[in-house]
Amino acid sequence: MKTRTLLLLLSVTLGLAAVGTYATLTHARADVGGATLKPAATAAAPAETESSARVSVKSLARNLEFLGDTPSLTGRPVLIEFWATWCPPCRASIAHLNDLDTKYHNRGLEIVGITGEDNTVVERFRARTPMHYAVALDRDQALATEFQVQTIPQAWLLDKDGRVVWSGHPMQLDEQTIVRVLPTHPAT
């Protein structure tokens, strides 16, 4: 009886491991601009950023196809996040980003979720999972390539001048960092 129970537990464990490995290899990847992106298994420590690193916000807006209204990004702090509908950690961070948008949008922060997926896939996802912040398509993967995105979700916080002040997993962005880049008089 004990042997039969142990064999059953071993079979179930091996079966689950095989299913998990198959799912990881077949569904948890997407080819983006020649680079294979993987969902971040755990929140990585934010990357060190150079205060001299700048992003052209006009270029950012020009290279994206926004779903819905195009937000005003010039002269505002912007949190950009690369994500995908198929990525479990990305889906888990949406509620957090919605909360940040609710709390800081009227104080001047713009949040933009950027994906390389087809707009039909993204719109179907958004019908089930509301995203209160701007969502944009990076069809040719130019921004993912420019930002050297290796894992998703991956986020960058830019100050009003386009300087990168923080990068890392969006769930690790602390509110003190956001508050430091907010204008004293919010943009309208």
Side-chain angles (χ1 to χ4, degrees), residues 28-41:
R29 298 174 171 258
D31 185 45
V32 178
T36 301
L37 299 183
K38 302 175 201 170

Side-chain angles (χ1 to χ4, degrees), residues 56-69:
S56 167
V57 177
K58 287 181 181 176
S59 172
L60 179 74
R62 222 180 9 255
N63 289 316
L64 295 173
E65 178 184 329
F66 285 90
L67 303 179
D69 295 334

Side-chain angles (χ1 to χ4, degrees), residues 65-127:
E65 178 184 329
F66 285 90
L67 303 179
D69 295 334
T70 300
S72 172
L73 303 177
T74 305
R76 299 176 70 124
V78 180
L79 175 61
I80 59 172
E81 181 220 18
F82 290 88
W83 70 286
T85 60
W86 53 262
C87 166
C90 301
R91 292 192 307 260
S93 69
I94 291 171
H96 175 66
L97 293 171
N98 280 339
D99 289 344
L100 292 177
D101 187 68
T102 299
K103 191 168 186 178
Y104 296 111
H105 185 266
N106 288 338
R107 293 181 59 193
L109 180 68
E110 276 298 340
I111 299 175
V112 180
I114 302 171
T115 182
E117 296 176 283
D118 180 73
N119 64 327
T120 306
V121 171
V122 177
E123 289 293 7
R124 194 173 354 172
F125 176 81
R126 288 178 67 198

